Amino acid sequence: MKSYDIIVIGGGSGGLTVAAGAVGFGAKVALIEKEREPGGDCLHTGCVPSKALIAAAKELYTARKAAQAYGLELQGEADYGEAFRRVQAAKAAIQPHDSTERFRTLGVDVFYGYGQFRDFHHIEINGDEVIFGKRIVIATGSRAAIPPIEGLQDVDYLTNESVFDMRALPKSLVVIGGGPVGLELGQALARLGCKVTVIDRGTRLLSKEDEEIVPYVQAALEKEMSLMPHTAVHKVEALPGGRKRLYIEQDGNMLQVEADALFIAAGRKPNTDRLGLSHIGIEMDGDHIAAKRTLQTNIPHIYAVGDVIKSFPYTHAAGMEGKIVVGNAVFGLKRKVSYDNVPWVTYTDPEIFHLGMTEKEAREQVGDEICIYKLSLDEVDRFITDGHTEGIVKVITDRKGRILGAHAVGKGAGEWMQQAVLAKHYGHKLSDISQVVHPYPAYSEALMKTANQYWQGKLFQGVTGRLLQAYVKRFR
């Protein structure tokens, strides 16, 4: 029987970070991965293929808009095969970074199959080989959650695991789920020529975002596809030719919607059901593993990272968790994870940037002693010159100017708002961003101008403002 210092179950972002980090410090590491190649959901069925598809669709959309603006005409249907090829090419280009060959070169023993706990330290692989681990890291990720809708089991439907394998674009598509996945891919497929309808149970789309951010995105999306919030799907049935009929309820009205294809984007389900966790008494939080801030389970030598725990279901968060586990599992540290300074981006067009608390959350947790700074993108010269003025920056601070939350919607918001992450992480005040020289004209000026409002309030209003004005009148 082979013995290891650390066994990692799952080869996604979190698991690969642990495996590479631990072996680099001299630990003997085993990695168990169920797929042919590591990389996890992000590489194979998530971040990478979706962003490649979004980029291809945006390129086509921009070409059409430009042609129309300059009096030109584009004819014919887009070749969806080209978008498919770009998706596959992107995955192939990135795969070597996460390949079995690379990790074996690093010194990691890679096993293929499903790992299951036989006891506290022994992992059985595919019901056959058993290996021993002093410490074990669970990083098995998640899969698409399938809602309990009558008839759904009798029809073909797409999820993030199959949508990128489509060789042809359906003429019409219904998306169940108005979160980031449903809206990002719905918009991309609409731009490629598909008639898209998005159905969501919530009273508003993107419920985790600040309330002032969502209208900008919704207005843009409504120009490209049909959005149906506050709508429940009661039943799905198959029609001739592969079409589907959905029986839905919206605001008390019973309606029917038909489409050629159905895409399920109704959340994620952690991959914890095949691990045999109940055999060893791992504490659970529903379907998720209950983890402490040190990312240990109730069994101290067993850790959990990524989508299997109920925190931030994002690739970059899993990578951060993996780094913490390396220190804790290899060196016996007690470093604690914090998500206070972890941002996320929703890659619709326009993009949404989210960091920290929304205004509603800040008022609930801090009280009304907060300050709100907002700026419309039509006040920023670079957005004006580029013709992308629809959007807003919104920063929430405490009374001393420390950032509690930063939000934006606009072209490339996920890039030019990153300086807010640095400021919040290192405890800088919003006013510090105002003191940094930004090149003109640049998109990042949007956050700088928002930060300028701090000084405008301090220097030209209130007691300080009145004292300065009195000084100027008296002595100058």
Side-chain angles (χ1 to χ4, degrees):
M1 180 188 301
K2 294 181 179 179
S3 297
Y4 296 91
D5 297 314
I6 294 180
I7 296 174
V8 180
I9 309 175
S13 176
L16 294 182
T17 299
V18 175
V23 79
F25 285 118
K28 188 176 181 181
V29 179
L31 173 66
I32 303 172
E33 169 55 41
K34 63 181 176 61
E35 300 296 340
R36 182 174 58 86
E37 284 286 359
D41 181 79
C42 180
L43 173 59
H44 301 295
T45 62
C47 312
V48 170
S50 67
K51 303 313 169 282
L53 185 67
I54 288 168
K58 188 173 184 178
E59 189 174 280
L60 178 61
Y61 176 78
T62 302
R64 284 173 172 161
K65 283 192 68 177
Q68 184 178 19
Y70 286 93
L72 303 175
E73 184 178 352
L74 292 181
Q75 296 181 343
E77 293 184 359
D79 179 8
Y80 182 75
E82 175 60 23
F84 175 83
R85 286 188 288 274
R86 292 192 184 194
V87 168
Q88 305 310 315
K91 291 166 60 176
I94 295 174
Q95 178 64 71
H97 303 301
D98 295 342
S99 67
T100 299
E101 181 182 358
R102 174 174 178 261
F103 276 81
R104 284 179 173 161
T105 300
L106 292 175
V108 177
D109 285 354
V110 181
F111 297 85
Y112 292 109
Y114 287 89
Q116 186 175 47
F117 282 89
R118 175 175 281 189
D119 57 33
F120 293 139
H121 286 280
H122 292 86
I123 303 296
E124 187 176 86
I125 304 171
N126 288 339
D128 184 16
E129 186 172 5
V130 177
I131 59 177
F132 172 90
K134 293 180 182 178
R135 295 170 185 83
I136 299 169
V137 181
I138 303 170
T140 46
S142 65
R143 60 186 183 273
I146 307 302
I149 298 173
E150 182 184 350
L152 188 58
Q153 70 278 4
D154 299 322
V155 302
D156 294 328
Y157 56 82
L158 299 165
T159 68
N160 70 295
E161 295 177 6
S162 56
V163 68
F164 302 110
D165 293 329
M166 290 193 309
R167 297 302 183 102
L169 186 71
K171 292 183 178 179
S172 58
L173 173 77
V174 169
V175 179
I176 297 180
V181 173
L183 294 180
E184 286 179 5
L185 293 182
Q187 184 182 39
L189 294 173
R191 288 179 165 186
L192 289 167
C194 181
K195 181 181 178 182
V196 176
T197 301
V198 177
I199 297 174
D200 190 76
R201 293 182 63 92
T203 54
R204 70 178 180 92
L205 302 174
L206 300 165
S207 59
K208 292 184 179 181
E209 303 300 336
D210 190 277
E211 291 183 2
E212 289 191 81
I213 295 294
V214 176
Y216 290 91
V217 184
Q218 187 162 337
L221 294 177
E222 285 175 340
K223 296 176 182 178
E224 302 182 51
M225 52 190 181
S226 176
L227 303 179
M228 301 183 70
H230 204 205
T231 302
V233 180
H234 291 296
K235 182 180 177 181
V236 179
E237 67 178 14
L239 297 176
R243 286 176 61 80
K244 288 85 180 169
R245 176 182 292 140
L246 286 77
Y247 295 84
I248 64 176
E249 181 180 357
Q250 184 181 52
D251 298 325
N253 298 315
M254 303 304 297
L255 306 169
Q256 296 181 19
V257 176
E258 294 184 9
D260 294 308
L262 180 61
F263 177 45
I264 306 297
R268 307 291 296 172
K269 180 180 176 63
N271 294 323
T272 56
D273 47 330
R274 297 188 62 169
L275 292 167
L277 300 179
S278 61
H279 298 166
I280 58 171
I282 291 285
E283 291 182 1
M284 305 294 290
D285 182 2
D287 292 331
H288 293 84
I289 295 172
K292 302 174 184 177
R293 290 187 62 195
T294 57
L295 298 170
Q296 292 169 291
T297 66
N298 59 303
I299 301 173
H301 70 273
I302 300 177
Y303 297 78
V305 300
D307 288 4
V308 294
I309 61 177
K310 210 171 193 177
S311 300
F312 266 50
Y314 299 97
T315 296
H316 51 287
M320 176 190 71
E321 292 161 356
K323 292 178 182 178
I324 291 173
V325 166
V326 170
N328 291 355
V330 175
F331 297 105
L333 304 178
K334 294 293 183 182
R335 297 172 62 203
K336 296 180 179 179
V337 67
S338 171
Y339 302 98
D340 292 345
N341 302 315
V342 180
W344 73 68
V345 177
T346 301
Y347 294 93
T348 49
D349 186 10
E351 285 183 359
I352 305 171
F353 172 89
H354 182 122
L355 172 66
M357 301 179 193
T358 63
E359 180 180 347
K360 181 180 178 181
E361 290 168 342
R363 293 195 185 281
E364 291 173 349
Q365 298 178 38
V366 180
D368 290 330
E369 296 296 314
I370 60 174
C371 300
I372 309 293
Y373 303 94
K374 294 185 287 188
L375 182 82
S376 174
L377 296 187
D378 61 11
E379 299 179 52
V380 182
D381 292 356
R382 180 59 187 274
F383 286 100
I384 294 172
T385 61
D386 288 7
H388 295 287
T389 56
E390 292 300 315
I392 188 174
V393 178
K394 180 176 182 179
V395 181
I396 303 127
T397 73
D398 62 15
R399 292 183 64 186
K400 295 184 179 180
R402 288 187 292 260
I403 297 173
L404 301 174
H407 308 270
V409 56
K411 178 186 177 183
E415 302 296 333
W416 48 263
M417 282 294 290
Q418 283 299 312
Q419 56 186 326
V421 183
L422 181 70
K424 189 174 186 300
H425 182 86
Y426 287 103
H428 291 291
K429 296 180 180 180
L430 176 63
S431 55
D432 292 338
I433 295 176
S434 179
Q435 302 302 305
V436 177
V437 178
H438 292 67
Y440 176 88
Y443 295 134
S444 59
E445 194 180 15
L447 185 56
M448 184 194 74
K449 283 195 167 187
T450 307
N452 287 347
Q453 295 175 17
Y454 175 89
W455 292 114
Q456 292 168 3
K458 289 289 185 182
L459 298 180
F460 303 114
Q461 299 173 18
V463 175
T464 302
R466 290 195 294 271
L467 289 174
L468 289 172
Q469 291 171 13
Y471 174 83
V472 171
K473 288 180 180 179
R474 185 175 180 86
F475 297 104
R476 297 294 175 185

